[in-house]
Every structure is written in C-alpha cells, then in structure tokens.
Amino acid sequence: RALDTQHLLEGIYSYELYSAPLSNEYGHDSAAQCFSDSVLWYFIVGDTNQAKKQIDHIIQNHLPKLNPREVDNTMSLIFPLLLGMKELRMAERADNVLKRYVSDRFHEFGCSLNHWLTLYKPIVSLLQVATMDEMQVYHRKTLEEIEFWILKHGASCFSPAMQRDGYILVGELCWRISRRKSSVDEKRQHLAAMGIDLLNSALSAKGGNADEFMMRKAEFILQNIKDMKDRPHLKRRNSLKAAKAKVLGYVRTTRKTTKK
C-alpha cells in the first residue's frame, strides 16, 4: 500500500513546485522524504532493481537542489539511500554521497547536525568497512580505529531517538570486523558478544515506529554472528580438509607416475 501511494505521489510531485511550500508549512518536505523511504520499501518487497532506480533518481534530481545549510534535513533524505546502496554493494558511492552532501557542507557552512549527530560516526564507519569488504582491500589502521571506537563508545553514544538504528549499525560493524579475526582472538569474542547484545536490544525495544527494513537487517546480522560463534573453528577445519585433500591428490598422482 505504501508503494501504491508512492507511485501516485511520483505522478504529481515536482520538487521545484512543492518542496519549498511543504518545508515552509511543515518544517520539512515530507513528500521528498517518501521518495527516499521508498528505497527501503522496495528492498522489503524484493525489488532491488527499482530500489536502485529510485536511488539514482533522488541523487540526480533531489539532492543537488537541497539547501546546503540544512544538513539535518539532507541527512534525513540520504540515510535510506546510504542503507540501500550498502545493500547493493555500492558502499563507496554511498560514502561519496555522504561526504558531498553532509560532511563537506557541515564543515563549509558550520551547519548543525543536531538530530543525526549520534548516528554520523556509525554510518561513516560502516560504509568504510563495507567498502573494504567489497574491494577485499583492508586498511589495518582504519579498522583498528573503528574497533577501538566500537569497544569504547559504540553502545553508549546514541540519543534516545536514534538508539535503535544506532544499535543495528554498530551491531553490523561488530559482525563485519569480528568475522575477519582469528577464532582465538579475544577481541573477536568481545565484538561478537557486543553485537549480539546490541542487536537483541534493538529487536526487543518497545514503542516507536520500528522500521521493517532495519528490523530484518538486525535479524539477519544477529543470526550470522550466532552462526559464527557456534562454529568458530569451521573455517580452520575446512582449510585443513582442503590441505589434506591436496596432499592425498599429490600422493595419488605421484604413485601413478612412479608405476608408469
């Protein structure tokens, strides 16, 4: 039903005609926000192609027209895009969008980021780590800095309004970083345990508007961390099995050659 309404909105909405009046009347452009939120609605129904088209449309037609000094409103509009691009393995592009429309403007104009301030560090860090995962190129110093921040501040830095989403973002960071560590690494265990606690807290939180996309993401990450904890030596066993198979293969080949 939400997407049906969104399709109707797309037929009548013009950013040039309606954004300023809506913002003046209600404090923000709720129609433009629906465009952004619909990106995640498309993921919920499994239409990733349309989600990508919507992301491209908003980046090309909405973001360049935003007031550069209204960084809080901009962050509201691009947050669903960042999540969607990360799911589409476009984390580097998402990081560039965040930098161009939020970070650079925040520093250039000295704008406020009051509402979104506590989520800024987690989303920046998550996009950095997701980009490394996509490229399979890891920057040790950056990962160590993010890991230090997670273990020191990751569970306590959020405003009440942002706590649920913050816990899910940090939970995903815990999963992405811990899964690359050795099964005997103590920090892997700390990160995994912290991720489980944060995600359980997010999923059990009462009240508010629980975003279905974020809840599904939390469930997915939580299960992955639990699987990782339940089978800490699986990767090692598989590696040993593969090595053993190679040795046996070599022995068989050698025997055949010797017989000839």
Side-chain angles (χ1 to χ4, degrees), residues 13-33 61-62 65-67 70 73 77:
Y13 177 81
S14 165
Y15 187 90
E16 289 79 6
L17 290 176
Y18 298 116
S19 184
L22 284 169
S23 297
N24 292 335
E25 183 70 23
Y26 302 106
H28 69 285
D29 183 350
S30 55
Q33 188 66 53
N61 298 292
H62 290 185
K65 300 169 185 175
L66 296 175
N67 185 334
E70 295 180 356
N73 285 339
L77 288 175

Side-chain angles (χ1 to χ4, degrees), residues 148-256:
F148 177 81
W149 176 84
I150 291 172
L151 294 173
K152 188 172 183 179
H153 303 292
S156 60
C157 67
F158 302 108
S159 63
M162 296 296 178
Q163 189 174 74
R164 191 194 327 249
D165 285 352
Y167 281 179
I168 295 171
L169 295 178
V170 176
E172 183 172 352
L173 273 169
C174 289
W175 169 57
R176 285 181 179 268
I177 294 177
S178 63
R179 66 181 178 174
R180 296 190 61 254
K181 292 182 176 293
S182 164
S183 60
V184 296
D185 190 323
E186 189 175 332
K187 286 187 177 179
R188 169 183 163 127
Q189 299 169 25
H190 288 326
L191 287 166
M194 183 176 180
I196 288 174
D197 288 344
L198 291 174
L199 293 165
N200 276 328
S201 295
L203 289 167
S204 63
K206 303 295 182 182
N209 296 317
D211 182 88
E212 186 175 351
F213 174 88
M214 292 297 282
M215 293 297 101
R216 290 187 182 188
K217 190 65 181 178
E219 291 170 352
F220 171 81
I221 300 164
L222 180 60
Q223 188 57 54
N224 275 276
I225 298 178
K226 287 180 176 179
D227 289 346
M228 184 180 71
K229 283 177 67 68
D230 292 341
R231 297 178 292 173
H233 303 295
L234 182 61
K235 185 175 181 180
R236 185 180 175 188
R237 287 203 304 269
N238 287 343
S239 298
L240 290 172
K241 188 184 293 184
K244 185 177 180 181
K246 285 184 179 180
V247 171
L248 290 174
Y250 173 77
V251 170
R252 292 192 189 100
T253 303
T254 304
R255 284 176 179 172
K256 288 180 182 179

Side-chain angles (χ1 to χ4, degrees), residues 93-124:
R93 185 185 179 195
D95 190 45
N96 290 334
V97 168
L98 180 62
K99 183 176 185 297
R100 178 178 179 182
Y101 290 103
V102 175
S103 307
D104 289 352
R105 291 178 174 182
F106 178 81
H107 293 295
E108 181 179 354
F109 299 106
C111 310
S112 68
L113 195 61
N114 297 330
H115 185 65
W116 288 92
L117 186 60
T118 58
L119 275 195
Y120 181 76
K121 174 66 175 179
I123 191 63
V124 168

Side-chain angles (χ1 to χ4, degrees), residues 36 54-60 62-64 66 71 74-86 90-106 120 123-124 127 131:
S36 295
Q54 193 75 316
I55 289 169
D56 291 338
H57 172 77
I58 295 165
I59 291 175
Q60 293 169 13
H62 290 185
L63 297 190
L66 296 175
V71 179
T74 300
M75 189 67 186
S76 295
L77 288 175
I78 70 170
F79 185 65
L81 310 188
L82 303 179
L83 298 176
M85 284 188 277
K86 178 175 63 67
M90 297 161 56
E92 185 177 25
R93 185 185 179 195
D95 190 45
N96 290 334
V97 168
L98 180 62
K99 183 176 185 297
R100 178 178 179 182
Y101 290 103
V102 175
S103 307
D104 289 352
R105 291 178 174 182
F106 178 81
Y120 181 76
I123 191 63
V124 168
L127 292 177
T131 299

